[in-house]
Amino acid sequence: MKDLDSAPLNKFHFKITALTFGANFSDGYSLGAIGTALALIGPQMNLGSSWMGLLGSSALIGIFLGSILLGRLGDAIGRQKLYLYDFLLLAIASALQFFVQGPVELFILRLIIGFCIGADYAIGPALVSEFVPKKHRGSLLGTLTVMWTVGYVAAYFAGTLLAQAGPDSWRWLLASSTLPAILVLILRIGTPESPRWLMSKGRIEEAKAIIHKYIGANVSIHEVKKESRTLGFMDLFRKKYAVRTAFAALFYICNVLPYFAIYTFLPLILEQMKIKDEFLGNVLLNGFLLLGGIAGLWFLHKMTRRKFTIGSFVILAASLSLLGIWPNGPFLYMMPFFLLFTFVMSGFSNITQVYPAELFPTEIRGSGIGLANGLSRIGAAIGTFFLPVSMESIGLGPSMLWLAGVLLIGAVVSIAWAPETGDVSLDDAAKDAEGKRLGHGSPQEG
């Protein structure tokens, strides 16, 4: 008799992971689309740098609210309902972008879109991690971020194709995100509730029925135990989980702040770098985003969580610093460092869907993931808002250097606090919050 963490991988594990691709693809597509659309919206609506920053960061602010509020709600009422209905609201808000007449309307709609994506960022990884076996948990959760990259790159090419549609091409581009949202909504109908969440609420027979139907009749649930006391949101800040909560938030913020800021305003950065063939630069960078995301799955599988995280932060800080020191250097100097940054950042981002899900027990997993993800998006929103202002006031080089400083902080935080969670069962990893802080365990299996 196998337990839930050692059950064989089956078609359902791939299905539940694939259905969770939706939020990541939509987030990547949304960010990529607004970056392209702003180049057209700005002159058409006569927007200054402040409005450009607000519109670029609006979805990130929404993600903050959705992650924290609905992550906690998912722990209280279950994963399944929120997992379905957030994409209904996402589809409606995405379609309404076509009809906006001013920046205020667009800002509100993108707040709503971000709210829905944030809900899914909290609920989706929790649901996937609570179904998939330990050996494949890292690989399957890591693919979620690869889909973010696919969405971002798809938005770039969609924007290129729609650029010929006239002055309203940005409307078609932003509204095109409705199609994947509707598809995900339809496919998610019938998704079961998390058996681990059901067990945490004492609903043992329901949990058994779901495991037997979707995982296998010979799979037990004896490892999924209810805590002796009820855990709530505030337990994230109490002694047992406080360090993990701080690590999850800071590691995530330091990862996404430079990433979102740079790639939201990639056309502006390439322009200031005086790259003559901007199309070639975009194609190279988007290609390395995809390659890095795929390669990152291999590194995530082969390396410990801790080594992967620390090493990635160091490489990213170094490559961005070299760009900041000579921002207007020759193409053959700048582009290799930019491509290295892009490749490593894309691969490193795979772990952002993995680490938070492994740090907390079932009762507060949605809350922990939601808080880390929500705070990371506030950090990303700050970076996205200030980058165009920073580039305008102090220049490209100093702007790249302060972003490199954020990555260096991530490295220091990870050296101090990053635990090793990849080689233990999901619930044991969470309940071992006071031990194995530095996690010098064996290489993880997934």
Side-chain angles (χ1 to χ4, degrees):
M1 180 74 73
K2 293 182 178 294
D3 58 59
L4 200 55
D5 269 313
S6 59
L9 201 64
N10 64 22
K11 291 181 180 178
F12 176 76
H13 293 126
F14 289 109
K15 179 181 178 180
I16 195 68
T17 304
L19 290 178
T20 310
F21 285 165
N24 300 79
F25 181 91
S26 295
D27 186 18
Y29 193 92
S30 177
L31 183 68
I34 195 64
T36 302
L38 281 175
L40 298 172
I41 297 172
Q44 193 177 112
M45 294 187 180
N46 196 27
L47 302 179
S49 60
S50 294
W51 261 118
M52 295 282 279
L54 279 173
L55 289 174
S57 61
S58 53
L60 302 174
I61 298 169
I63 289 173
F64 163 75
L65 297 171
S67 293
I68 293 179
L69 296 178
L70 295 190
R72 177 56 193 148
L73 188 61
D75 285 335
I77 69 171
R79 325 291 195 209
Q80 188 268 342
K81 292 183 179 65
L82 296 175
Y83 189 69
L84 179 64
Y85 292 120
D86 63 340
F87 259 74
L88 175 60
L89 181 57
L90 177 63
I92 294 171
S94 297
L96 289 175
Q97 290 179 106
F98 185 85
F99 304 100
V100 298
Q101 297 300 314
V104 175
E105 298 165 47
L106 184 58
F107 179 78
I108 292 171
L109 285 175
R110 293 193 65 78
L111 277 179
I112 295 171
I113 290 169
F115 186 85
C116 297
I117 292 172
D120 219 71
Y121 267 140
I123 302 302
L127 191 61
V128 173
S129 68
E130 289 165 4
F131 270 111
V132 301
K134 175 183 67 176
K135 182 178 180 180
H136 304 283
R137 190 171 64 229
S139 299
L140 291 179
L141 284 170
T143 59
L144 301 179
T145 305
V146 175
M147 288 307 297
W148 186 97
T149 306
V150 172
Y152 179 89
V153 174
Y156 167 72
F157 285 106
T160 302
L161 290 172
L162 289 170
Q164 308 304 318
D168 285 336
S169 59
W170 62 270
R171 297 182 185 273
W172 292 103
L173 177 60
L174 295 180
S176 64
S177 59
T178 308
L179 298 177
I182 291 174
L183 178 61
V184 170
L185 175 63
I186 293 171
L187 292 176
R188 283 186 177 185
I189 296 172
T191 301
E193 183 56 86
S194 161
R196 291 182 187 269
W197 181 83
L198 289 169
M199 282 293 294
S200 74
K201 299 299 181 181
R203 295 160 62 176
I204 300 172
E205 294 307 314
E206 292 177 66
K208 286 182 178 179
I210 288 173
I211 290 175
H212 290 170
K213 180 177 179 179
Y214 294 97
I215 308 301
N218 62 337
V219 177
S220 72
I221 51 175
H222 66 274
E223 285 200 10
V224 185
K225 299 176 182 178
K226 193 178 190 310
E227 290 274 347
S228 58
R229 68 183 181 88
T230 301
L231 295 176
F233 184 81
M234 294 308 298
D235 284 284
L236 293 171
F237 308 100
R238 296 192 174 107
K239 182 179 179 181
K240 189 173 183 180
Y241 299 108
V243 170
R244 291 197 169 199
T245 300
F247 166 70
L250 290 172
F251 132 83
Y252 213 155
I253 289 170
C254 293
N255 174 285
V256 302
L257 191 155
Y259 194 3
F260 278 45
I262 288 172
Y263 282 93
T264 298
F265 296 102
L266 183 59
L268 183 61
I269 290 171
L270 292 177
E271 180 184 331
Q272 290 210 11
M273 288 172 68
K274 294 182 171 57
I275 292 178
K276 294 179 180 179
D277 194 339
E278 191 174 312
F279 179 76
L280 174 62
N282 267 305
V283 169
L284 282 172
L285 291 167
N286 279 285
F288 270 69
L289 273 176
L290 284 175
L291 290 173
I294 295 168
L297 293 176
W298 185 86
F299 285 105
L300 183 59
H301 183 75
K302 292 296 183 181
M303 297 177 69
T304 65
R305 307 285 196 249
R306 177 176 168 81
K307 288 180 180 178
F308 184 60
T309 299
I310 295 170
S312 297
F313 270 129
V314 170
I315 294 171
L316 289 168
S319 59
L320 202 56
S321 295
L322 290 168
L323 275 174
I325 291 170
W326 196 9
N328 300 121
F331 182 88
L332 290 178
Y333 168 83
M334 294 183 298
M335 192 51 67
F337 291 123
F338 210 162
L339 292 176
L340 176 63
F341 173 84
T342 298
F343 183 86
V344 175
M345 177 60 88
S346 182
F348 177 38
S349 293
N350 292 344
I351 204 172
T352 60
Q353 299 292 327
V354 181
Y355 235 150
E358 295 176 337
L359 293 172
F360 307 103
T362 300
E363 291 84 351
I364 54 173
R365 184 167 294 118
S367 299
I369 296 172
L371 179 65
N373 187 73
L375 292 176
S376 79
R377 266 42 184 190
I378 283 297
I382 291 171
T384 304
F385 176 78
F386 279 110
L387 182 59
V389 178
S390 172
M391 289 170 64
E392 186 178 57
S393 59
I394 63 175
L396 179 62
S399 297
M400 294 299 101
L401 288 174
W402 72 257
L403 288 174
V406 172
L407 292 164
L408 186 59
I409 292 171
V412 173
V413 167
S414 299
I415 290 169
W417 288 340
E420 185 48 57
T421 58
D423 56 352
V424 293
S425 70
L426 188 64
D427 289 295
D428 286 345
K431 292 175 183 177
D432 194 26
E434 293 177 305
K436 292 182 70 178
R437 183 174 64 86
L438 295 182
H440 299 297
S442 60
Q444 62 206 54
E445 299 180 278

